[in-house]
Amino acid sequence: MSRRHYNLPPLTTLSAFEAAARHLSFKTAAQELSVTPGAVSHQIKALEGELGSALFERRHRGVELTANGHALFETLASSFGRISKRLEIIRENGAAEKITVGSTTAVAALWLSPAIIRFWREHPDVNIHQITQDFPFNARADVDFVIRYGRDRNSPLHHRPLYRDELVAVGPPDLAQTYANISLEDLAQERLIHLDSDARNWTTWSEWFQQLGFDGELSVGSRVTSYSVALQLARKGAGLALGWRRLVEPMLKTGKLAVIGQHSLPAPHEFHLVEYSSDTSSTSAETLKSWLLSEVPGGSV
C-alpha cells in the first residue's frame, strides 16, 4: 500500500532535524521547537532509521553533520525558506510588498543604505527591511538576499557578482601628505588596526603585506571585531585601517578618511548579491536586485 504521495518521512522528523542541523545542537533545537532534547533526539533517530543512514556524528562536546546530513540540511533549508516566503506572500496578499536584505554593518552603512535611499526615490511604495550582522549569514527564511564578500563554493544559493574592490591603507587626512611615499617596511611599523572577523575570507593586514611582497614583522597595533569600529578608530587617528577603497569612498570624498601611501592590492574576491529565495521572489525584490546590479557598474557607491 502506498504510504504517502511524496514518499516523505513525517514532517515532525524533518523539522526536528532541520533545527538541530541549523544549530548543531539538540538542546538549542529543542528550545526553539518547545520540546525536550530527548524528543528531538528521538525524532532524529527515527529519521535516521527510516533513511538507513546516519545524519549526525555524535561527539563528546556536540554533534556534527555527516555528508548525507549536510546534503539533506541544505535541501531542507532551501525548501523551508521557499515555503516560508510563499506563505508570507500569501498572508500579505494585497498589502505592500516587503523586501528583506542582509549585509554586514559596514556594507549597510557605507554602501547599501545610501543605495536603498536612491532606490526609494524611484520606488517609494516598496518596503525594504535591512538585517545587519558581522558574522556569516546562514540559510534563513526571512531574508530575500544578502550582500556578501566572496563566494561560498559549497552553497547552492545563486551568487551574482557586484564588483571587485581595491585594498589600501586608510587613516586621518592629516597623515596623507606626510606619508605620501611611505615604504611597506615603514608602513608595517605604524599602529595598525587589525580586524578579527568570523568571515574568514576577509583579507587581513598580514595577507595584504604578503601579497605586496613584504614578509617582515607587523606592529601589534589594536584588534577589533567590527569593521565600522576599525574605520572610526582610523578616522580619529588611533591607527591605520585596511580600507576597501570603493566601500569607504563616501568617507574619502568627505575627507573623513584618506588613503595613506601608494600601495594597493586588488581584493582577492568580489562582492556578491546572494539570492536566498529566488524561486519565490516578489516583483519588487526582483526590481531592487536588478536596480542594484545595474547601478554598480556605473560607479555609484
Side-chain angles (χ1 to χ4, degrees):
M1 182 176 71
S2 177
R3 23 171 277 178
R4 306 178 188 96
H5 180 71
Y6 291 104
N7 196 28
L8 294 174
L11 292 179
T12 51
T13 64
L14 295 177
S15 177
F17 166 76
E18 188 277 336
R22 178 159 33 86
H23 295 294
L24 286 179
S25 167
F26 288 9
K27 180 179 179 181
T28 307
Q31 293 173 344
E32 178 181 311
L33 299 173
S34 299
V35 297
T36 65
V40 171
S41 179
H42 175 76
Q43 294 287 354
I44 291 172
K45 286 181 180 179
L47 180 59
E48 290 176 323
E50 177 156 344
L51 298 177
S53 175
L55 300 175
F56 288 98
E57 292 181 4
R58 277 73 171 177
R59 299 186 180 275
H60 178 64
R61 294 188 177 181
V63 294
E64 292 184 6
L65 289 167
T66 63
N68 283 336
H70 182 77
L72 179 58
F73 170 65
E74 290 287 349
T75 301
L76 285 177
S78 176
S79 299
F80 284 177
R82 292 197 301 271
I83 292 170
S84 176
K85 187 63 180 178
R86 177 55 60 195
L87 292 174
E88 181 182 353
I89 291 173
I90 293 173
R91 291 189 189 104
E92 297 183 357
N93 188 27
E97 288 185 310
K98 179 187 73 174
I99 308 168
T100 302
V101 186
S103 71
T104 64
T105 53
V107 169
L110 297 171
W111 177 66
L112 184 58
S113 293
I116 286 176
I117 291 172
R118 293 192 292 272
F119 175 82
W120 267 330
R121 291 170 184 159
E122 299 179 21
H123 306 274
D125 296 329
V126 179
N127 293 323
I128 302 174
H129 296 185
Q130 289 182 255
I131 297 178
T132 61
Q133 60 186 45
D134 291 327
F135 52 91
F137 280 84
N138 296 317
R140 49 190 299 172
D142 59 339
V143 174
D144 289 282
F145 58 89
V146 165
I147 306 302
R148 184 183 192 275
Y149 173 67
R151 182 183 181 92
D152 183 355
R153 298 293 179 183
N154 298 318
S155 173
L157 301 174
H158 186 201
H159 291 59
R160 298 190 186 187
L162 285 170
Y163 67 92
R164 187 181 298 275
D165 216 325
E166 175 189 3
L167 304 179
V168 294
V170 296
D174 57 2
L175 291 182
Q177 186 172 358
T178 304
Y179 290 167
N181 297 306
I182 190 172
S183 66
L184 280 174
E185 291 77 6
D186 290 339
L187 187 61
Q189 300 312 307
E190 291 294 318
R191 183 176 181 84
L192 303 178
I193 303 169
H194 300 270
L195 176 65
D196 292 330
S197 172
D198 290 333
R200 298 180 180 178
N201 55 357
W202 285 95
T203 302
T204 65
W205 271 119
S206 296
E207 293 166 339
W208 186 80
F209 275 101
Q210 288 172 3
Q211 289 295 318
L212 290 174
F214 177 78
D215 294 319
E217 294 291 329
L218 304 183
S219 72
V220 176
S222 58
R223 312 195 78 87
V224 298
T225 58
S226 167
Y227 189 57
S228 296
V229 172
L231 294 179
Q232 290 304 316
L233 289 175
R235 177 187 173 188
K236 297 296 184 180
L240 303 182
L242 187 56
W244 300 75
R245 184 163 190 156
R246 187 166 186 174
L247 190 61
V248 303
E249 186 66 22
M251 300 183 75
L252 297 176
K253 287 182 176 179
T254 57
K256 295 178 180 178
L257 284 173
V259 175
I260 306 299
Q262 304 296 320
H263 310 287
S264 67
L265 178 73
H269 308 288
E270 294 178 288
F271 280 92
H272 290 81
L273 187 156
V274 185
E275 301 182 47
Y276 274 45
S277 56
S278 58
D279 290 353
T280 55
S281 290
S282 66
T283 301
S284 294
E286 290 298 330
T287 300
L288 177 58
K289 282 188 245 181
S290 298
W291 190 88
L292 289 174
L293 289 165
S294 64
E295 185 185 61
V296 169
S300 180
V301 175

